[in-house]
Amino acid sequence: MASIHPQSPGAEGTGQGEGRSVGELLSAVTSDVQTLFRQEVELAKTEIREEATKAGKAAGVYGGAGFGGYMVALFLLLAAVFALANVMDADWAALIVAAVWALIAAVLYVMGRSRMREVSPKPEQTVETLKEDAQWARHPTK
């Protein structure tokens, strides 16, 4: 009597699974899902790293603007106050110079805020591929 192996062409039930058992198919699916999950996690890490780099650069701009503004303001403030003190009271001269620097600080703040708004904390590409994966899992034939 000839024995029929599950992987031989004459075995019953081998049309769709290419001769593999349910356990082998389940193992393959599990392995594929694990690989997919690892790839998605790696993609998320990469996207978050890129966004963190953008945020770091924007924070550096904030810091540089703050320090530069402080140093320039300090010396120009003194020079302007002394220059204006020659034509008006020193307290009014100091108030005028302080108002000008308040305007400059506001402009720097707006520039830094606009750069920070470009930073996206959500990994867009990962979210999109996860949605696609979930849709495929629900309807694998589409």
Side-chain angles (χ1 to χ4, degrees), residues 43-52 122-126:
L43 178 62
K45 285 180 184 179
T46 301
E47 283 188 89
I48 290 170
R49 200 173 302 121
E50 288 173 1
E51 293 302 316
K122 183 172 74 171
E124 301 287 341
Q125 189 176 358
T126 301

Side-chain angles (χ1 to χ4, degrees), residues 28-45:
V29 168
T30 302
S31 175
D32 290 347
V33 168
Q34 288 173 345
T35 301
L36 180 63
F37 180 74
R38 280 190 214 106
Q39 289 172 343
E40 294 296 340
V41 167
E42 193 59 37
L43 178 62
K45 285 180 184 179

Side-chain angles (χ1 to χ4, degrees), residues 13 49 89 117 139:
R49 200 173 302 121
D89 289 338
R117 286 185 174 168
H139 308 287

